[in-house]
Amino acid sequence: MNAPLPPAPRDPQTLAEACAAAMWHNDSTSQRLGMALIRVAPGEATLEMTVTEAMSNGHGNCHGGYIFTLADSAFAFACNSRNAVVVGQHCSITYLTPGRQGDRLTAEAREVSLKGRSGIYDIHITNQHGEPVAEFRGHSRTVKGQHLPDPA
């Protein structure tokens, strides 16, 4: 049985880190794909992933679904950084250049707008040389729930 979660910290950076830790604990997709959560801050997140042979498509490049999944995970950690449960409402991706086997891809998510229950996030995906691989835009929607209990 899981131990009860500690109360939510009041400091925004500490809260973002605590929310990320709570989400990461249950995120088997990101973990099984070998993603690493590099950084999280209020409205921001950076994840990395190395492209494996199993991620290659019929052209020998990284399948776009894996690039999308990396971007979507960064989006999730960025928009869930304030202890509200937030889900993706709409997202789109533009592929700029192929990811290749062995590439270390980095997805950097940044909040563009947060008004009421709706947010917009831009996620830039680059390779280990800093070359752009894709641009992802996600629209979020806050739903009921919290990642951590409110402080007493």
Side-chain angles (χ1 to χ4, degrees):
M1 182 172 248
N2 291 338
L5 293 170
R10 296 184 193 273
D11 169 63
Q13 178 60 38
T14 306
L15 177 62
E17 292 169 2
C19 290
M23 283 184 55
W24 186 261
H25 179 74
N26 295 316
D27 188 349
S28 62
T29 298
S30 296
Q31 292 178 37
R32 289 181 184 196
L33 290 175
M35 292 182 198
L37 179 60
I38 303 302
R39 179 181 167 278
V40 68
E44 299 178 7
T46 301
L47 274 75
E48 292 183 350
M49 176 182 78
T50 299
V51 178
T52 66
E53 181 181 0
M55 297 174 181
S56 296
N57 63 19
H59 299 292
N61 299 320
C62 182
H63 189 289
Y66 289 103
I67 297 169
F68 185 97
T69 302
L70 174 64
D72 191 45
S73 289
F75 169 44
F77 282 96
C79 66
N80 279 276
S81 61
R82 294 188 176 93
N83 201 30
V85 175
V86 182
V87 297
Q89 183 177 39
H90 169 78
C91 47
S92 63
I93 191 165
T94 301
Y95 300 100
L96 304 171
T97 190
R100 306 206 186 278
Q101 186 176 334
D103 279 355
R104 184 74 174 169
L105 302 181
T106 300
E108 294 180 294
R110 181 183 59 83
E111 187 175 85
V112 174
S113 174
L114 183 61
K115 302 288 183 207
R117 294 176 48 209
S118 299
I120 299 174
Y121 296 78
D122 283 341
I123 297 84
H124 306 287
I125 302 93
T126 57
N127 64 20
Q128 68 275 13
H129 305 295
E131 299 165 339
V133 172
E135 295 290 334
F136 176 109
R137 175 161 270 197
H139 297 245
S140 69
R141 188 73 170 166
T142 302
V143 295
K144 291 182 181 180
Q146 294 179 296
H147 298 286
L148 304 165
D150 283 325

